[in-house]
Amino acid sequence: MQAVDLAPQELRTLVAVAGEGGFSAAAVALGTTQSAVSHAVRGIERKLGVVLFDRGRYGARPTPAGARAVTHARRVLRMLETLAAETRGVGAGPDGGDTVAGPLRVAAFRSAALYLLPPALERLTARHPGIEPTVRVVREVGPGTAGEVAEGRADIGIATLGTSTPVPPGLIGDVLLEEPYSLVHPAGHPRPRSLPLVDWRENCSSYTRSWWAGQDWIPCATVRAEDDGAVLSMVGSGLGMAIVPALSLTGAPPTLEITDLGPDRPTRSVGYVTTPELATTLAVRALIRELRELRELRGLAQRPQAER
C-alpha cells in the first residue's frame, strides 16, 4: 500500500470541518476561504481514496471513514503539539532537568470534576506551573469520558470502569478508587426505605443494577433528574430517597442523611483512561502520579480487582 503524506494543515482542516459542521464555518475558524477548505478536503479525499464528508444543504457531516480520519487527525495533531512542548522543555528546568509545559485536556464526569480532580490539579500546577489544564465535564452515558479520549478530544479521562460505558479498544488505564454506594434520604425521616426513588441516567452500571435486582425494597424510579446534583437537591427537598456513590455525596448538606447499605453494598470503580501514545507524555504521567499520590494520602488505595 502506498504511503499517504498529509500535512498538519490538512489535518487541521479535517478537524475544523467536522467540528464546525461545514466548509464555510470551518473557513472562518481557520482564517481562510470556503473554496480553500473545499479544495483541501477534495485533495485529502483523493489522497486517501475515500469520501470523508457527506455534503448537503445543512453543511458537511463525516462519513464513517471521515469520522475515523478525524479521530486520527486530532490525535496526530495533539502528538505534534506534545513533540514541540517536550522537546523545548529538555534541560530547560532551573536545575538543568526537563520542564513540563503546555495544555492538558481532561474529561471527567461531574462528581470527579468537582471533588476528585481539583486537589490533584492544584498539586500538579504547583509542581509544574507550565502545565495549562482544562477540564471538560462529560456525562457517563454512551461513549462517556473514555469516548472523548478515544476520539482525540481529551488527553486523559476520569471514567467509571467496568460499567455500562466500557473502555473503547485501544485505550489503557487503571482503577484509582472504589466508591461505595449509600442510601441518601431526607434527614430525620423515620422510614427512608419507604420513600420514592429519585434517580438519574448516569447511575447505571451492570454491578449496581444486578445488586438492585436483589433488593425488593427499592422501587422503580418515580422521579428522574438530570444529574447527581439535582438528585441530592430533590432528596433534600423531601421528594424521595436515592442510591448514590461516595464522590457524589462529598459535602452533602445537613438536610440529607446518609445510611450505609451494609457489607454487600455495591461499589463503582473510578479510574483514568488515556491513549498508549499519550500515556508516555510528561503532562499525562504527571497528572496520573498526582492522582495516585492523593489516593494513597487519603487511604483510598484499592487492591487490584483480581485479588478481591
Side-chain angles (χ1 to χ4, degrees), residues 114-149:
L114 285 174
Y115 307 118
L116 182 62
L117 272 176
L121 294 178
E122 182 181 12
R123 289 164 57 96
L124 177 73
T125 53
R127 294 185 184 184
H128 307 287
I131 292 182
E132 303 166 358
T134 58
V135 178
R136 183 177 181 185
V137 177
V138 178
R139 299 186 70 188
E140 282 291 76
V141 176
T145 57
E148 294 295 297
V149 176

Side-chain angles (χ1 to χ4, degrees), residues 259-286:
T259 300
D260 191 284
L261 289 170
D264 295 327
R265 64 190 178 187
T267 62
R268 179 172 75 171
S269 299
V270 176
Y272 69 86
V273 292
T274 187
T275 63
E277 65 269 19
L278 284 167
T280 66
T281 61
L282 296 177
V284 169
R285 287 167 54 197

